[in-house]
Amino acid sequence: MNIAILSRDAKLYSTKRLKQAGEDRGHKVEVIDHMKCVLFIEKKNPMVLYNGKRLDYFDAIIPRIGASVTFYGAAVVRQFEMMKVFTAVESQALIRSRDKLRSLQILSRAGLGLPKTIFMDYSRDTEGVIEAVGGAPVVIKLLEGTQGLGVVLAESKKVAKSVIEAFHGIHARIIVQEFIKEAKGADIRAFVVNGEVVGAMRRQAKEGEFRSNLHRGGSAKVVKLDRHEKHAAIIAAKKMGLGVAGVDMLPSARGPLILEVNSSPGLEGIEGATKIDIAGKIYQFIEKNAKKNKIQKDKVNA
């Protein structure tokens, strides 16, 4: 098959790993910078142009869209969908996953465990907000933050009030969440592909840090999920509409609590910790579904 990886940097580990894994399976794989794509829109004739070339020969795409370019990246994915090209991550699921508030609302409606969370429109009742999530310490997050950036642990009510007021002062939208003490600076990343957990790791924050993200210096080791954690990860990915997802959750006294569902999860940490060919699992998902997609496309065009 002809497969495109939508990525701005061909040198990134996940991009290189996916390209090599695809070629090892006999596919022709190209890395396409989605920000350089031009979308041609015409009645019944949508097209993607790249460096003057028509990208009308791909059987499938693997979106690796950065959070800062979600709007245009999702538009490119949507254009390929209009061209009946199979995508490992659908455009609407990508947009949904990048909206922290909407994601939490979807997961809450699904009955999944979540940390107590408050979202408000620049409310002056900061003390009431802090108490509503169980009091200090609290975690304060920018709605647009990624990879642990824009996340603050406020260890006292006074600090929490100052941080909330500072964010409001620059008109930044935030959420305030309870701090789960029993997690002890660790969280779990479950990698879900096509409705199945294909690997999981426990990420531990470095000393003096509460964010366990590997980009923030955290460490990772393989972990076996219990049935509650596995169920939560699968349902979270399903409700977000993601065929490929990294589901982050905290262990707690009341069961797993979902933090986030990532639509472009990195491969380096999970493959390094689990020694599982996660990239290969993604291609198995693509191979199975792209063939079905091609059959349906051929029937329509017949």
Side-chain angles (χ1 to χ4, degrees):
M1 290 193 292
N2 290 311
I3 298 173
I5 301 172
L6 303 184
S7 172
R8 300 204 67 191
D9 189 350
K11 296 179 181 177
L12 289 174
Y13 176 90
S14 295
T15 303
K16 291 192 298 182
R17 179 74 182 89
L18 285 166
K19 188 174 190 302
Q20 186 61 57
E23 291 173 346
D24 289 345
R25 297 175 75 89
H27 302 300
K28 184 176 179 181
V29 183
E30 293 182 49
V31 178
I32 301 293
D33 183 347
H34 41 282
M35 296 306 292
K36 294 180 180 178
C37 289
V38 175
L39 309 185
F40 180 77
I41 302 170
E42 185 184 28
K43 182 180 179 181
K44 295 185 178 181
N45 186 34
M47 185 53 58
V48 177
L49 306 177
Y50 184 69
N51 293 333
K53 179 173 65 174
R54 295 165 64 93
L55 300 184
D56 56 0
Y57 52 88
F58 287 117
D59 301 297
I61 59 172
I62 305 175
R64 301 290 305 175
I65 311 296
S68 64
V69 293
T70 297
F71 177 81
Y72 196 78
V76 174
V77 175
R78 191 181 307 114
Q79 190 82 348
F80 276 111
E81 290 171 341
M82 291 169 63
M83 294 162 59
K84 309 301 182 185
V85 175
F86 177 76
T87 175
V89 176
E90 294 182 0
S91 58
Q92 284 304 306
L94 171 62
I95 293 170
R96 197 180 296 127
S97 72
R98 292 288 162 76
D99 185 332
K100 282 189 174 69
L101 179 60
R102 185 180 180 191
S103 296
L104 291 172
Q105 290 172 323
I106 291 170
L107 298 173
S108 172
R109 186 169 58 192
L112 294 168
L114 302 168
K116 293 176 184 176
T117 302
I118 293 283
F119 173 75
M120 65 285 191
D121 189 19
Y122 310 129
S123 170
R124 293 185 179 276
D125 183 23
T126 54
E127 190 165 328
V129 166
I130 295 164
E131 291 303 320
V133 296
V138 297
V139 178
I140 303 166
K141 298 180 179 179
L142 285 172
L143 279 180
E144 294 81 17
T146 61
Q147 298 179 348
L149 296 172
V151 181
V152 177
L153 173 63
E155 297 186 349
S156 70
K157 185 183 294 185
K158 183 178 180 180
V159 172
K161 290 177 67 176
S162 295
V163 173
I164 292 171
E165 289 168 1
F167 277 136
H168 283 174
I170 59 172
H171 302 287
R173 296 193 180 276
I174 59 171
I175 57 176
V176 180
Q177 289 185 322
E178 69 173 313
F179 178 64
I180 308 299
K181 296 183 179 69
E182 59 265 37
K184 298 178 180 178
D187 72 3
I188 294 169
R189 160 68 62 90
F191 209 106
V192 180
V193 179
N194 198 25
E196 177 187 356
V197 175
V198 296
M201 62 180 173
R202 181 183 297 274
R203 303 183 298 187
Q204 181 67 51
K206 66 180 181 180
E207 189 174 352
E209 174 64 80
F210 81 99
R211 296 169 296 181
S212 60
N213 306 68
L214 300 185
H215 290 86
R216 307 263 71 82
S219 59
K221 64 178 181 179
V222 65
V223 65
K224 185 175 181 180
L225 303 185
D226 64 31
R227 63 186 181 88
H228 301 292
E229 292 165 340
K230 187 175 291 187
H231 174 77
I234 291 171
I235 296 300
K238 180 180 179 181
K239 292 300 179 180
M240 296 300 292
L242 290 166
V244 177
V247 181
D248 297 340
M249 49 191 160
L250 289 174
S252 81
R254 59 182 191 268
L257 305 178
I258 306 295
L259 288 173
E260 186 177 6
V261 184
N262 194 315
S263 54
S264 295
L267 297 179
E268 186 171 12
I270 191 75
E271 289 195 333
T274 64
K275 310 305 178 187
I276 294 172
D277 179 13
I278 302 294
K281 300 287 187 181
I282 293 173
Y283 275 102
Q284 288 176 15
F285 165 55
I286 291 170
E287 289 160 358
K288 178 181 179 181
N289 289 276
K291 288 177 182 176
K292 291 180 181 178
N293 192 67
K294 189 175 187 305
I295 291 171
Q296 292 174 350
K297 182 178 178 180
D298 290 342
K299 284 182 179 178
V300 171
N301 294 333

